[in-house]
């Protein structure tokens, strides 16, 4: 059997990592197109220009806010005009996805600098494209992962703590989904099963967030960089990214996708909905009591949702929850990578049971 794993070209992380951006960019070119979102323009632009002081030909573009084809086309046009030879994307998820897509169109190397640790998307060879109005349009599968992912933990530490916690929710799913794919010999994001390395990295991701999640949250609340924060940022960004792309996805992300059917969940972030997907998947896949206890206790300790009410679904009807379940089980969904029998009814039951268990625990606390 053929197995496949994919990786970013280089991963750099630490407090003030941004200061070596020029050194990293110089490995690829001298004329970077730098894509910054509004937050970066307002708070970090001076640090970025200082880091690129040796590159007077750098062109700076402010990202408009939506990763739409229109925005990507504009970035490509600016890149062509400036004859850029490397693209640098700095900001939140949509800025990074648009930068990846623009770099691909420009046939330039791409350096990715996330300013939050809220998902595992930075390392991936994937961009999510939306319409100009912000509705999901399509996935753009890129031929290779970013050339550099550079994470400045001093920037991450100053972001609102909810970003880090959401990233922990996304990372919580990684091992469970990689484990299911390994048992089923299901495909990862490349269309082939992942090797044992991907499974081991997913396991390290789980162990790391359980050990250091609470301590990392405390560090961000203190706007401080500690070793625990470094571990969790690495787990949220690198380990979870490698784990999902090369290990594979299964029920947790499919249930997340089902939850997006209900507009009440739209105010909640990807990792928060994924956490509910993890909790429901524990019941769907028949995990033992000790494991269910471990995951619920962990979610409550870091402030991830543990009931449907925590996701804006206090008054959700059976019909609505069935829509979620049907969405999760749509043909081609990753839930079919689970080694157990799945059906909309089984997912519905798992969601109802996870909610009862979450509420039982909340009243005990
Ligand atoms: Zn995810």
């Amino acid at each position: 059997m053929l197995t496949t794993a994919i990786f970013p070209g280089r991963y750099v992380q630490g407090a003030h990592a941004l200061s070596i951006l020029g050194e990293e960019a110089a490995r690829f070119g001298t004329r970077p197109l730098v894509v910054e979102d509004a937050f970066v323009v307002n708070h970090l632009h001076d640090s970025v220009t200082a880091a690129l002081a040796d590159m007077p030909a750098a062109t700076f573009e402010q990202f408009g806010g939506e990763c739409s084809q229109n925005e990507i086309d504009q970035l490509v046009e600016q890149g062509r005009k400036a004859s850029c030879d490397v693209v640098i994307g700095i900001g939140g998820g949509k800025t990074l996805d648009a930068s990846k897509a623009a770099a691909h169109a420009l046939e330039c190397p791409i350096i990715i600098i996330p300013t939050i640790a809220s998902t595992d998307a930075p390392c991936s060879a994937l961009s999510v494209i939306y319409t100009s109005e912000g509705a999901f349009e399509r996935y753009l599968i890129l031929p290779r992962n970013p050339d550099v992912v550079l994470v400045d933990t001093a920037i991450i530490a100053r972001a609102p703590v909810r970003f880090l916690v959401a990233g922990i929710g996304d990372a919580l799913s990684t091992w469970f989904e990689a484990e299911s794919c390994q048992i089923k010999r299901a495909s990862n994001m490349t269309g082939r099963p992942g090797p044992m390395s991907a499974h081991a990295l997913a396991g390290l991701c789980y162990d790391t967030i359980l050990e250091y999640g609470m301590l990392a949250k405390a560090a961000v609340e203190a706007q401080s960089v500690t070793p625990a924060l470094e571990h969790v940022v690495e787990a949220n960004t690198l380990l979870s990214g490698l784990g999902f792309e090369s290990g594979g996805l299964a029920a947790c992300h499919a249930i997340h996708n089902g939850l997006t059917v209900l507009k009440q969940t739209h105010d909640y972030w990807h990792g928060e909905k994924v956490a509910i997907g993890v909790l429901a998947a524990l019941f769907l896949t028949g995990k033992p009591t000790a494991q269910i206890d471990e995951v619920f206790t962990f979610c409550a300790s870091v402030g991830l949702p543990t009931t449907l009410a925590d996701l804006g679904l206090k008054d959700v009807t059976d019909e609505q929850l069935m829509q979620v379940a049907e969405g999760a089980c749509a043909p081609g969904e990753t839930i079919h990578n689970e080694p157990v029998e799945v059906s909309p009814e089984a997912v519905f039951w798992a969601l109802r049971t996870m909610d009862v268990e979450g509420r039982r625990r909340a009243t005990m606390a």
Side-chain angles (χ1 to χ4, degrees), residues 119-120 170 173 249 253 270 274:
T119 74
D120 53 21
D170 201 16
S173 67
L249 295 175
H253 273 78
H270 174 78
V274 171

Side-chain angles (χ1 to χ4, degrees), residues 156-174:
I156 304 283
R158 291 197 304 271
V161 74
R162 189 177 164 195
F163 287 115
L164 183 85
V165 172
I168 291 173
D170 201 16
L172 183 63
S173 67
T174 307

Side-chain angles (χ1 to χ4, degrees), residues 40-106:
V40 174
V41 169
N42 291 328
H43 297 98
L44 296 169
H45 182 71
D46 290 348
S47 308
V48 177
T49 47
L52 295 173
D54 294 340
M55 296 194 169
T59 303
F60 292 84
E61 275 300 311
Q62 181 168 344
F63 177 60
E66 193 51 78
C67 184
S68 63
Q69 193 58 52
N70 194 19
E71 285 259 357
I72 295 164
D73 291 344
Q74 284 178 33
L75 294 175
V76 171
E77 195 186 318
Q78 293 308 320
R80 289 223 169 94
K81 253 190 226 164
S83 310
C84 77
D85 49 16
V86 52
V87 176
I88 301 172
I90 315 181
K94 290 187 178 197
T95 316
L96 304 182
D97 275 8
S99 305
K100 283 184 203 174
H104 170 57
L106 288 161

Side-chain angles (χ1 to χ4, degrees), residues 3 46 65 74 85 89 169 225 272 307 361:
T3 63
D46 290 348
Q74 284 178 33
D85 49 16
V225 179
E272 294 169 337
T307 65
R361 289 168 163 272

